[in-house]
Amino acid sequence: MFQIEPDTSKICIDSIFCVKENCQNNHSRFYLGICLEYLRMEEEQYKNSEEDFEKKKCDIQGCKLQHLDQSKLKSSLQQSINGIFPHNLCCMNGCDCKLIHKPWAHNICINDIMNVCQKKKKNNCPFNHLPWNQLKQQAKESSKINFTTPEQLCESQNCNCQQHFSWMTDQKICIPFLKGICPFIKCLKNHVEWEGLSLKQKIEQNSLQPCSVIYQESKERANSFSQKQFIQLLCEKAKFLKFKESIFQSNIIDVVFIMDLTGSMQTWKIEMENAIYEIIQQFQQTNKGHQIRFGFVGYRDECDKKEKITYINLTQKVDEFTKQISQLEAKGGGDDAEDVVAGFEKALELNFSLHEESLLCTFLIADAPCHGREYHDISSDNQIDSVEKNYLENVLKKYKKIKECNFLCCIKINETTDKMFQKMQQVFPLLTITSQKQPKEISDQVLFTLKQSLIQSKLIQSKIKNTIQIQAEFNKYKLSISPPNYQDNNRAKYWKNFYIDVDQSLRRGVTALDIEQNINESQQSDDQNCTTYIFKAFDTINNMYIAIKIPKFIIDMHREGKLDKISIDKAEQLAKTRFYSSSYACQMAHYFNQKISKIQEIPSLFYVLPIIYTLTEPFFGMNLVYGETFMNIQYQFKKYTTNSHHSEPKYYYYSVFSHFSFIESGHTLVITDLQGCDNILSDPSIQTKKGQIPILDFDETNHNEIGIEIFLTTQHQECSYYCSLLQLSREQFKNKNSQKLDQTKWQIAQKTKIYGICITCSQFTQNDLDAQKQSQEKFNFMNCEICKTESDQQMTSIIQCECCLEDYQAVQNLQLRIQTVLGSCDFCKQSCFDLNKQCCYYCESYCLKNQKEMKINDQLIRICSKGQAYLSLQKCAKCQKLYNNDVILSKDQYNKGIYKCIKCAKD
């Protein structure tokens, strides 16, 4: 029999709407809608005086709850409909109050049922007035079960009356909850609403069970979805997110005009300027959803010197673009041949869309061939025998590698360019050559080429890539942003122990890799001595494209079926060493950027960020592989210095970074073998004395003392102009007091963009150098466009935490890209990492979430929150008193719900 709670402090004010999992107060629906403050005031009155409590309301201004004293509470207990009490109800559907809304009580005046509706007397109450018994009938008709009501059900355990139903017993339905008087948020039986109850309905389980059962069922449910399917699904979902984030980029069509700007081309320039608006209007009418950007490179000849090259970066601002074109003048030129190659070299530097599905369409408009006997039959060429062999083909090879969907159209003006166009076509498969055209035809030709290129690009993109999905643990280097905290006298100590700091600051986790099984030809270096093959992969958790580097000897041995454990062990050790050497280089480059922050003449240098993966299944026999940020600029890959004597004279200025690394490390190491594209470097070779940094001793490119000696004596015999700007000492060099400085310099003023690695998501990015010059800022810290703009657009997934086995919402945007543990909620990521921690006494889970120590009979045991809740509701089999921490139940007793208090156990 339900008893009115004498202590109002033990009643939960939120009743059935309480969300506190461990709330121990009374949650009976009976108290919903009742002003507890009013009851407390009545209690205080009786404590201090024997007078009757006559106050009508509480002191809370505007309180809309029902004010019932103890006597009215007892009478209310006798009148309920389907376990709902009058004060529980709200008559207005769509209301956001914390009361119960039932269809059968809609538009019924609750005030008239509870008290007396004063508005009823004046006929101005907007609600209907029904007596309680009539309302009962309406509620009964809305229920699926009409042969009984909750109020008639019997709660007695040992009773054979007609108000016991086996199907309710079988489905563990909580009768007190149906009556509105169960004091628990969750109990050992299922809480269900009466109106939705049906004889044929299978009740959804929500009763408290032993935590051991819950934990085992959750594990089985997680394992029922095969790991391979989960990895594949995760790959697809994360890739979809990546594409969603960069959807704007994928729909971009970059249109570049490379045009001869000598005097004979003035009419063509004017027609191109006039055609831009018509091209955009007509193309977008038939190809909605695509964004066209225009870029321009104008070239003349060597004799035009500073006016030889002019350019306009790719932009969607058509008005601004055409205005800049109109300001250009077709003039100059000497002999008949022009510097076409310089035009393509400049075009390589434009700010192309980096998205792999974007389209590049280039138009070469020229009325004269490039220099060189092999490209024409004209006699007016001042450099006819002085250009190097294949110099046009070499620049075209680089241009072709910009992206997969890359189309080039040569607009023929006269026959002098025929031989050059044919040479170009041999190198560039997606090149078309028009028939002889007039300036007025340029608009139609560009539109036709754009439409044909779009059709061909869709065919290219539709090719299915041969990919596999592999689960992997990752260790990702975490760049230290703060300046180094050391004095000059302990620089060496810092860098000798830096690999230990790397281990302590790693971002660790589990991810799924979507790996393209074909070698990525566009990323391969043209260096014949290159010893690595590159495979493109997508890392789902870090949400970034990765270049996985596998030694050539492994691929060759795998193809020949000769792969052995010794070779694999060697390759995996190389991967590990490569990870640490790249980590050293990344951090050193960051400190270099901080040092040069106020020197505009030196661009920021970046190393691609390294990741080491441990695969659950081998890739070309290897389970430990090295990965790094995927670069979209490998078509310009150059080698500036080696790990021995050579330093490329025209790029000598890069050696300032090697010199800086030697000084910054307290003469502990020097970073050599500088290679990459402009200011993005990769594959460093670190020279250090044997035993100084043990992990780097495994690097075959590290020549130890000899390597440092070579740098100090031959490779850096004289300092660069930039070494003097940074005031780098030559104390350890053979030639300590060299007054001669190499004067080769970075040609920053001629660049159109600057590359970098996003400080947030580790992805390759590029920034407009023109904008940087205007703002007079240096990009020491770079963010990609997605990380700059990402804020409210978040994609979420419901994932089961592999630690606490509870569902949680994972945000798949910036937070997902930088999170460290796959499948773990925030709490478990931060707290549940100690493998030596104690587990729950009953379910043996190690998760620390809501787990606490309980003292039972002078013995401390740990029990998880679900175990605590289940245990607290056990009743003594004899006296029916709730469990009171007086005895430790065995695991068998706990699972079966068998409990006897100490007193009853003794009797």
Side-chain angles (χ1 to χ4, degrees), residues 206-317:
N206 62 34
S207 62
L208 287 179
Q209 300 180 75
C211 61
S212 52
V213 173
I214 297 172
Y215 189 68
Q216 187 58 37
E217 287 179 351
S218 298
K219 285 173 67 176
E220 290 173 359
R221 187 167 61 252
N223 293 334
S224 65
F225 189 65
S226 77
Q227 194 65 30
K228 193 72 177 176
Q229 286 176 304
F230 174 74
I231 295 168
Q232 189 170 355
L233 179 64
L234 189 61
C235 284
E236 292 303 318
K237 191 164 189 177
K239 281 172 72 177
F240 170 75
L241 170 68
K242 187 71 175 177
F243 297 147
K244 182 182 177 183
E245 288 174 334
S246 55
I247 192 70
F248 176 79
Q249 288 287 330
S250 68
N251 287 332
I252 280 178
I253 300 177
D254 285 336
V255 179
V256 176
F257 296 100
I258 303 177
M259 179 179 284
D260 181 342
L261 267 189
T262 54
S264 61
M265 294 293 291
Q266 179 66 18
T267 306
W268 283 91
K269 184 194 80 70
I270 294 172
E271 285 300 325
M272 189 196 73
E273 176 189 335
N274 295 334
I276 298 298
Y277 284 103
E278 184 180 350
I279 291 168
I280 289 178
Q281 187 176 15
Q282 289 194 33
F283 182 81
Q284 291 190 337
Q285 281 178 355
T286 55
N287 297 277
K288 292 181 179 178
H290 286 85
Q291 310 291 329
I292 302 183
R293 303 193 307 167
F294 290 99
F296 178 85
V297 175
Y299 64 88
R300 296 186 178 95
D301 207 355
E302 290 291 342
C303 62
D304 296 295
K305 298 180 180 177
K306 291 184 178 181
E307 292 186 319
K308 183 176 75 169
I309 294 292
T310 186
Y311 73 92
I312 303 170
N313 246 330
L314 286 151
T315 178
Q316 282 184 286
K317 299 176 180 178

Side-chain angles (χ1 to χ4, degrees), residues 242 543-546 629-630 756-758 761-765 784:
K242 187 71 175 177
N543 203 18
M544 61 188 293
Y545 286 105
I546 291 292
T629 306
F630 186 86
I757 303 296
C758 177
C761 69
S762 307
Q763 280 280 233
F764 165 81
T765 187
C784 65

Side-chain angles (χ1 to χ4, degrees), residues 1 110 117 122 127 194 219 283-284 299 340 368 414 474 485 544 546 562 571 614 623 643 664 710 785 806 860 887 896:
M1 182 65 185
I110 304 300
C117 178
K122 299 177 182 179
F127 301 113
W194 176 259
K219 285 173 67 176
F283 182 81
Q284 291 190 337
Y299 64 88
V340 180
N414 57 50
F474 69 84
N485 184 22
M544 61 188 293
I546 291 292
K562 297 179 180 179
T614 304
N623 286 94
N643 63 337
E664 184 70 15
I710 288 172
E785 288 302 317
E806 293 180 0
L860 285 175
V887 62
K896 293 178 179 178

Side-chain angles (χ1 to χ4, degrees), residues 10 31 110 128 161 179 247 271 297 302 355 393 401 428 474 477 525 596 617 666 672 678 687 722 791 810 867 873 896:
K10 293 182 179 180
Y31 296 108
I110 304 300
N128 298 326
C161 72
K179 293 184 175 185
I247 192 70
E271 285 300 325
V297 175
E302 290 291 342
H355 195 282
E393 289 91 333
K401 287 184 177 181
F428 211 112
F474 69 84
Y477 177 62
S525 171
I596 64 166
E617 54 187 272
T672 61
D678 285 348
Q687 310 301 312
Y722 299 111
S791 55
L873 293 178
K896 293 178 179 178

